[in-house]
Amino acid sequence: MAPKASSVLDEIVAVYRLERDLLTIAARAIRKTAQPYLVGTGFVGRTVTDSQNDVERLRSRLDEMTVVALWIEFERFLVNHVLSQLHVLGTAPPPFDVQLGAHVEHQIEFSRFDDLLDLYKGWIDSNHIGNVKQIKDYRDWVSHRNPKRPTPAKVDPAQARAILGNVMDAIAPSSARS
Amino acid sequence: MEMDQDARRQQFLGRLSELLSDLRTWAAADPRLTAALREFAIDDPFGHYTAPGLEITITGERLASVVPVAAVVIGAEGRVDVKGPIDQAAMLYLSGPGRTETTIEGVSAFRRDLFAGFEAAGWYWMLDSFTPHRAVRRIDADAFRDIVLSVSDYEITPSR
């Protein structure tokens, strides 16, 4: 059976879970001030509280960057899907057909992503498209932290994986990675 | 009529207050624990404001913090994190299973719920699963005990 389109997100998820586990191990070693495990690290000489706070900050940052990574994969998937739906005019003479295809491809590659998402209205329910746009807003905030823009709604990696993966599977139910 | 932002923020704060009351009751079952209210700053699409949370301690040592995160989160209607020295867990307020659907020429072609395990509107623990259906568990005394264990390695033990 062909893999689900959303399976490309699973490698990101696997790395995320491993990194979360490593942080849990570090947190336990810090809590117990387990010197054999902490020797040679920057935690030596620091208070338990400060070290725990650092681990907590790193955990939050890991969540944010994982959502960004999931978004990058999803964005590439959607652009490729739109491109794959192009049907070059069968009656167009060469080389016009190739040049037209290249022109449209270029326009799609540089379109505003919200405009590409709007192409799927009526196919994907509008609430779901709204959720995807909110994830994009969160990704933008993580990446740029623009103080002039309002604080977006937050999302954690598992939620992002579910929402983005559902769209990918709805659009291309049994396609391999495009 | 769609609620305005103030009303939605107040709705979140009301649901949060009920959750904290339950959590304090369940924590109080273990005589070694203290669950004190404290205020936390929130910065979400509804603005900057404060909301109550809990500091759970055992013999003066921090065991877990119950931290209100936001009234607006993607896919849910409020988020509260339980943060401990080992890990952290997320609780979301859900009003439904998050049904998503796609149609082709008006005919349903794909239907999936965001959340698996939804029973009724309330607070749910987001389990650490990355399946298309996000596994959730309704918050009750047992779930809260498991959350505290997962974030702190401490098992709440009610007195007999």
Side-chain angles (χ1 to χ4, degrees):
Chain A
M1 191 168 111
K4 287 195 174 74
S6 63
S7 62
V8 296
L9 304 179
D10 292 340
E11 186 178 329
I12 298 169
V13 166
V15 170
Y16 169 74
R17 297 181 90 154
L18 176 60
E19 289 174 323
R20 279 281 299 263
D21 285 345
L22 291 174
L23 287 176
T24 297
I25 293 170
R28 285 204 173 103
I30 289 166
R31 190 183 190 194
K32 297 182 187 304
T33 59
Q35 291 185 23
Y37 300 103
L38 298 174
V39 66
T41 73
F43 293 114
V44 174
R46 304 186 66 228
T47 67
V48 169
T49 302
D50 284 349
S51 301
Q52 288 176 334
N53 288 342
D54 279 349
V55 172
E56 189 174 317
R57 267 193 293 273
L58 199 57
R59 192 178 287 121
S60 293
R61 191 64 182 154
L62 174 62
D63 282 0
E64 291 174 347
M65 297 316 296
T66 301
V67 173
V68 171
L70 289 168
W71 177 264
I72 290 171
E73 201 63 45
F74 172 80
E75 191 175 54
R76 176 46 46 191
F77 164 85
L78 203 77
V79 169
N80 285 344
H81 181 263
V82 173
L83 289 173
S84 72
Q85 302 304 300
L86 290 178
H87 298 290
V88 177
L89 294 172
T91 56
F96 174 76
D97 58 347
V98 172
Q99 288 163 176
L100 173 62
H103 175 77
V104 176
E105 209 170 294
H106 178 83
Q107 295 301 314
I108 289 171
E109 284 272 2
F110 291 95
S111 292
R112 285 180 65 247
F113 197 76
D114 280 7
D115 293 339
L116 290 184
L117 274 175
D118 286 342
L119 295 174
Y120 292 87
K121 281 183 179 175
W123 183 1
I124 309 289
D125 75 65
S126 56
N127 284 337
H128 212 60
I129 290 182
N131 285 340
V132 172
K133 287 183 178 180
Q134 285 187 298
I135 293 175
K136 179 180 177 297
D137 288 344
Y138 179 73
R139 188 290 306 258
D140 291 344
W141 177 80
V142 169
S143 299
H144 305 299
R145 309 268 181 186
N146 186 343
K148 296 177 185 172
R149 296 195 63 82
T151 305
K154 290 181 171 55
V155 65
D156 68 13
Q159 198 77 337
R161 195 258 175 254
I163 291 170
L164 300 178
N166 283 352
V167 172
M168 295 168 77
D169 291 341
I171 291 172
S174 59
S175 65
R177 181 174 176 177
S178 22
Chain B
M1 189 173 77
E2 196 170 306
M3 294 170 75
D4 65 15
Q5 284 195 359
D6 278 344
R8 287 176 65 189
R9 181 171 52 224
Q10 289 306 316
Q11 184 181 62
F12 165 69
L13 292 175
R15 290 168 174 170
L16 173 64
S17 179
E18 290 176 12
L19 172 68
L20 295 180
S21 176
D22 286 339
L23 298 185
R24 293 187 83 187
T25 298
W26 297 330
D30 187 328
R32 291 169 293 180
L33 298 185
T34 302
L37 286 168
R38 65 163 279 200
E39 291 292 300
F40 289 88
I42 290 184
D43 182 11
D44 71 11
F46 289 162
H48 305 279
Y49 55 102
T50 61
L54 295 179
E55 287 290 356
I56 301 174
T57 56
I58 179 169
T59 59
E61 180 187 341
R62 172 181 169 257
L63 193 67
S65 302
V66 180
V67 182
V69 174
V72 183
V73 289
I74 299 170
E77 295 170 40
R79 175 171 163 177
V80 176
D81 284 353
V82 182
K83 299 185 178 185
I86 305 300
D87 205 345
Q88 67 183 52
M91 298 189 288
L92 299 186
Y93 191 93
L94 303 181
S95 295
R99 173 65 55 86
T100 60
E101 191 166 358
T102 65
T103 58
I104 297 177
E105 295 182 311
V107 178
S108 176
F110 177 94
R111 184 184 294 166
R112 185 179 281 169
D113 288 339
L114 269 181
F115 305 107
F118 175 83
E119 298 168 16
W123 290 96
Y124 286 80
W125 178 16
M126 299 295 109
L127 299 175
D128 191 18
S129 65
F130 283 82
T131 56
H133 303 280
R134 179 93 187 265
V136 300
R137 182 175 165 189
R138 193 172 173 87
I139 298 295
D140 57 18
D142 288 340
F144 180 58
R145 186 186 63 242
D146 289 345
I147 287 174
V148 171
L149 180 62
S150 75
V151 305
S152 70
D153 282 345
Y154 178 83
E155 186 165 5
I156 294 176
T157 307
S159 59
R160 297 185 187 280

